Amino acid sequence: MLMTKEAVRPLLEVSGLSVSFTQYTGGLRQKTIQAIVDLSVSVRPGEMLAIVGGSGSGKSLLAHAILGILPGNACVDGRMIYAGEHLTPVRQATLRGREIALIPQSVNFLDPLMRVGAQVRSSSLNGNGAAVQREIFSRYHLAAGTEQLFPFQLSGGMARRVLVATAAAGNARLIIADEPTPGLHSAIVRETLAHLRELSTAGRAVMLITHDITAALETADRIAVFYAGSTVETAPVSDFCGEGELLRHPYSKALWRALPQNGFRPLSGSQPSVDDLPQGCLFAPRCPFASPDCAAVQPELRPLRGGETRCHHAA
Amino acid sequence: MPLEAINVSFRYKSGPWILRDLNLSILPGEIVGLTGPSGCGKTTLARLLAAFERPEAGRITLDGQPLPASGYCPVQLISQHPEQAVNPRWQMLDTLREGYIPDESLLLALGINNEWLKRWPNELSAGELQRFCVARALGPGTRYLLADEMTTMLDAVTQAQIWQAVLRVAAERRLGMLVTSHDEKLIQRICHRMIDLANAS
């Protein structure tokens, strides 16, 4: 690439996204559950952004919100800009599956009654689908006979390759991979991530959603850390090093230090539940540096040392 | 006093053999890591050791005796999928007290929030459910704990929190443990020795 990554305009920019769900609690009484509080992320062409955070931090909901496939009782607010224009529900419907592709979590997302070769061909929208599919299968080391198989005949590793191939076969400019490597052997994890990396090197924007921070660090350019439905930090991968002193938010530091190879140090307590969020900083109840103003006022996401953080005390 | 698998062979119905003539011994207080590629029988071995399956040939013994056929099993299995290991029609308090009544300090160490006790399983995340499954398995009758990808679905902070609590109890009570994980760093961190199942049977 001639331009540096910073000079390229983001392909997708999400800012201040919130998602809430209306639920019936009995009879005609309703309550609103705030699942995503305030998420902001952006990803550029040629870049791989990893999104890490615990379960319930809003990672998968973000993917669904971008694709416009949230259930009917969801209420979405905030700003999503794709290729310079607002991402409206009408635009989402035309873009998803074409310009924006999703690599789902599990082989269960493949059609069980359709041969995998045909499924991959169906996502290639122009030209010779069969040729594209065969070229991708050979690149991903899937034997020629694989295209005739049904999903249940694939091993875990082959299923991963087919799922990635489905996204690679189309011309999607933005690829969202939602937990593409859950509980897989490390060799398969590395291979899947290498394929994703290849796609971003070829100029596509890749968003990798994962709870596996080690895997994210090995492949991504930048990492966004989510906590309880808000972005608490975005940082270049190189900041995750040493004792985590380059990181900006206490939760990112805690994540880094909790890794088995980095001290295995836990935090007490648990992530606040979506129907009982604290008034101020969402991390304050577990934060070793919390002060009275942390409990009172939710901090804003602000730029800091080449990244962003949502903390009153970060410097 | 070990938990032993002696010449164990196993297959599901008349399918291919998953384990053949496997021998394994875990001592009290010992933490053993179990690795191997997907589909090599790690979960099956854990289910055999906890008496969820019966070996087609060979024996599973504790102190040289077969595992008790009824009552609280001294070998407790914590599965990778907590949502499949709890009764969906029980509130969490009932699930927690299925085998014994855990004390407050354990619940605190595992980060179990008191408000979750009145919830139904579908109202909690996998990470929250797993904390209950861990607490439930640490009853006074437990002597061996089998952790089958116990924290695979969890973020690093929650993983460290649950493991530190479990390791503390295991050390205090000299529990033997078998730990299955794809995370090599985790196995290196907590295990005394390691078995590669691909080469073991």
Side-chain angles (χ1 to χ4, degrees), chain B residues 83-141:
Chain B
E83 63 282 2
Q84 295 168 10
V86 297
N87 189 330
R89 290 163 182 250
W90 286 8
Q91 284 186 332
M92 294 320 297
L93 185 67
D94 299 321
T95 295
L96 185 67
R97 296 186 171 175
E98 193 173 351
Y100 77 115
I101 297 179
D103 59 34
E104 282 294 319
S105 67
L106 179 65
L107 302 191
L108 194 67
L110 287 169
I112 292 177
N113 190 331
N114 268 328
E115 286 165 32
W116 299 345
L117 299 176
K118 282 279 157 209
R119 303 267 190 99
W120 300 95
N122 66 351
E123 297 173 317
L124 294 176
S125 73
E128 290 159 358
L129 287 176
Q130 191 66 304
R131 299 169 200 242
F132 283 92
C133 293
V134 172
R136 178 178 63 174
L138 289 173

Side-chain angles (χ1 to χ4, degrees), chain A residues 183 185-186 211 260 264 266 269, chain B residues 152 154 161 164 182 184-185 189:
Chain A
H185 199 246
S186 52
H211 66 260
F264 213 35
Chain B
T152 300
L154 304 176
Q161 182 183 27
Q164 296 292 5
H182 282 112
E184 291 150 21
K185 299 281 182 355
R189 175 96 204 177

Side-chain angles (χ1 to χ4, degrees), chain A residues 246-266:
Chain A
L246 291 178
L247 294 171
R248 297 151 189 82
H249 195 278
Y251 179 67
S252 331
K253 289 181 201 240
L255 259 185
W256 177 245
R257 291 173 187 168
L259 289 174
Q261 60 271 37
N262 295 347
F264 213 35
R265 276 161 285 184

Side-chain angles (χ1 to χ4, degrees), chain A residues 121-132:
Chain A
R121 287 198 286 276
S122 71
S123 68
S124 161
L125 298 166
N126 48 354
N128 188 343
V132 171

